[in-house]
Amino acid sequence: MRYVVPFSRTGIPGRRFVDPFALMQREMENMLESFSRALEKAPEGEEVFFTPVVEAKEDNKGLTIEVDLPGVNPDDVSVELSEGVLTIKAERKMEKESDKEDEGVKYHIAERAYGTFMRRFTLPWEADEDAIEASFDKGVLKIFIPRKVEEKKAKKIEIKA
């Protein structure tokens, strides 16, 4: 029976078996760990991005976009519409390192993300730019973009004699 099975769990004699799923899991963990370390130790002045949760819903009146921006000052948020593209920019600022060191603060866990956020939405229809509303309440940015109402003009039909 030993000769019927070409490989055993040990594989080729002299080599040990490597589980491909365990190897893939290790590689993913290493990649995520190195990525998180890179974000934690971003050089001074270098931009780091954070990605808040966005919800966009459409109805007959228009489009409503809600962005969760906890800890962001409303003055650090900008919303622009240009050529049918809505751009949302925000920045969550971190305390200066010098302030932390003076107080003798030691972080045991630091999972909050800081930096710049930018998201663009291409509108599928023409918006009424003068009626766009934006509000910021309890860390949630809410933008309502109404559809442009086309004025229905009476079309004069020419009568041929």
Side-chain angles (χ1 to χ4, degrees):
M1 189 70 173
R2 186 176 200 186
Y3 298 106
V4 176
V5 180
F7 297 102
S8 65
R9 289 297 279 174
T10 58
I12 301 170
R15 292 189 180 176
R16 63 182 193 116
F17 176 74
V18 177
D19 182 12
F21 295 107
L23 181 63
M24 184 173 70
Q25 181 180 1
R26 241 188 338 257
E27 288 294 321
M28 291 295 291
E29 287 171 354
N30 289 340
M31 182 182 68
L32 291 173
E33 186 177 326
S34 65
F35 179 71
S36 65
R37 264 189 264 118
L39 287 179
E40 289 171 9
K41 299 177 182 180
E44 187 71 29
E46 185 174 310
E47 298 243 343
V48 178
F49 294 93
F50 76 100
T51 53
V53 178
V54 176
E55 184 176 273
K57 52 190 171 187
E58 181 180 359
D59 60 14
N60 293 338
K61 296 176 184 175
L63 181 69
T64 302
I65 297 174
E66 294 182 5
V67 184
D68 290 345
L69 297 169
V72 174
N73 187 341
D75 296 333
D76 295 331
V77 178
S78 73
V79 180
E80 298 175 2
L81 180 66
S82 176
E83 298 179 13
V85 177
L86 181 77
T87 303
I88 303 170
K89 294 179 188 175
E91 182 178 3
R92 184 183 298 159
K93 297 177 181 174
M94 186 173 177
E95 299 172 11
K96 293 181 181 178
E97 288 293 325
S98 59
D99 296 342
K100 294 178 195 173
E101 292 172 6
D102 292 342
E103 297 173 14
V105 174
K106 280 187 179 179
Y107 281 89
H108 293 279
I109 298 173
E111 296 178 342
R112 297 177 67 198
Y114 298 92
T116 305
F117 161 77
M118 183 173 77
R119 188 83 182 260
R120 289 191 169 124
F121 300 91
T122 303
L123 302 179
W125 30 259
E126 191 172 349
D128 185 359
E129 295 181 15
D130 297 327
I132 295 175
E133 299 173 1
S135 62
F136 195 87
D137 186 35
K138 298 178 186 171
V140 178
L141 172 66
K142 186 174 184 178
I143 306 164
F144 176 68
I145 306 148
R147 295 175 186 263
K148 188 167 190 173
V149 179
E150 294 182 22
E151 296 176 19
K152 299 201 177 203
K153 297 178 183 177
K155 182 178 178 185
K156 186 169 182 170
I157 300 170
E158 183 181 330
I159 301 172
K160 296 181 183 178

